[in-house]
Amino acid sequence: MLPRKAILNAKPYQPGKPIEEVKRELGLKDVIKMASNENPLGPSPKAVTAIRKYLGNINRYPEGGCFYLRQAVAKKLKIKPEQLIFGNGSDELIELTLKAFVNEGDEVIVASPTFLMYEVASTAHGAKIKVVPMRYFKYDLKAIKDAIAKNTKIIFIANPDNPNGTYVTKYELENFLKDLSDETIVFLDEAYFDFAEEQDYPNGLNYLEKNNLIVTRTFSKAYGLAGLRVGYGVSSPEIIKYMEAVRDPFNVNSLAQIGAMGALKDKV
Ligand SMILES: *Cc1c(COP(=O)(O)O)cnc(C)c1O
């Protein structure tokens, strides 16, 4: 029995081990986990309170389209609700983008080194992967632009980047987006948006109108809700519509939705 061809090349993502397992294995008492950039301060207390209150309702399926969370995030970001899609962690949005837009053999561009999920998911999906090395730990946007081919469907950029900790500036991003092909989507991963404080750090949402851009954010890091698995993507209603077509109906569980709504009332 053979899997799809692409799966023969797939390497599963290696997450850091759970704290309890490391303690058991090495006989340690105090272990601090930093492998997945979890928030060491714990979860948003408003999320925890909201989830406690909701626990008696988990016999029901979740709200399929994240109705209330969608309203809340749209209001906060001053965008239309139909510009949003929610995922089981923002990781799922990588999958949904690949599913919606990449035919077997189409190309994606990833930097190296960067967040591994872009390459892991693209490989399993059957995409051809073009790797462009980082330059002095920064995205080499010129080399990435030069690497774009006719069948390049997605370019993955984490801003700020993990693990490099560098960011693409407003000026660099604007230059990069100029004259990009209509066939290419820029997947701008803003998992660490809330941690970026520099004046020249660009808010990806400002560039949605004129570009094929998917901006993703997550409740996992700043809000400390990594265990719940909830994140979202923002794009044009048209791109979102295609991604919605390949989304599982109940992909974000009810406690994650309730927790995220609680967290939104918290300051980050
Ligand atoms: C942590 C991280 C994510 C994943 O976030 P989830 O919403 O928990 O899936 C995405 N991108 C980068 C760069 C990250 O470091």
Side-chain angles (χ1 to χ4, degrees), residues 56-212:
N57 297 312
I58 56 172
N59 55 315
R60 305 273 177 216
Y61 279 97
E63 184 70 59
C66 294
F67 183 84
Y68 296 107
L69 180 58
R70 181 181 297 270
Q71 304 295 323
V73 173
K75 190 169 166 212
K76 179 175 160 152
L77 301 182
K78 301 188 174 68
I79 56 172
K80 295 189 209 121
E82 59 269 29
Q83 286 183 273
L84 278 165
I85 183 164
F86 290 85
N88 184 16
S90 62
D91 277 356
E92 193 190 10
L93 302 161
I94 302 171
E95 298 276 352
L96 296 181
T97 307
L98 286 160
K99 269 199 201 167
F101 293 101
V102 176
N103 286 305
E104 191 120 354
D106 279 348
E107 203 172 85
V108 304
I109 299 181
V110 297
S112 176
T114 184
F115 186 55
L116 264 182
M117 281 312 296
Y118 311 136
E119 191 167 341
V120 169
S122 300
T123 306
H125 187 78
K128 243 178 83 191
I129 296 167
K130 212 176 244 173
V131 178
V132 175
M134 291 275 180
R135 202 174 134 80
Y136 302 110
F137 305 104
K138 284 197 65 169
Y139 280 85
D140 188 347
L141 293 177
K142 184 173 179 312
I144 290 177
K145 213 164 186 176
D146 289 344
I148 296 173
K150 246 200 183 135
N151 63 344
T152 303
K153 278 292 176 64
I154 309 177
I155 300 168
F156 289 101
I157 297 175
N159 200 33
D161 187 72
N162 165 20
N164 295 287
T166 57
Y167 68 101
V168 171
T169 66
K170 218 183 242 183
Y171 173 79
E172 288 165 342
L173 183 68
E174 285 172 11
N175 244 342
F176 178 71
L177 291 173
K178 231 183 260 169
D179 316 316
L180 273 194
S181 146
D182 266 355
E183 307 299 318
T184 307
I185 289 174
V186 176
F187 187 101
L188 191 63
D189 180 342
E190 293 186 342
Y192 301 99
F193 174 83
D194 297 296
F195 299 88
E197 293 175 332
E198 296 295 332
Q199 285 289 323
D200 61 349
Y201 170 76
N203 178 344
L205 301 184
N206 294 337
Y207 304 95
L208 291 174
E209 214 159 288
K210 292 194 191 123
N211 302 282
N212 290 330

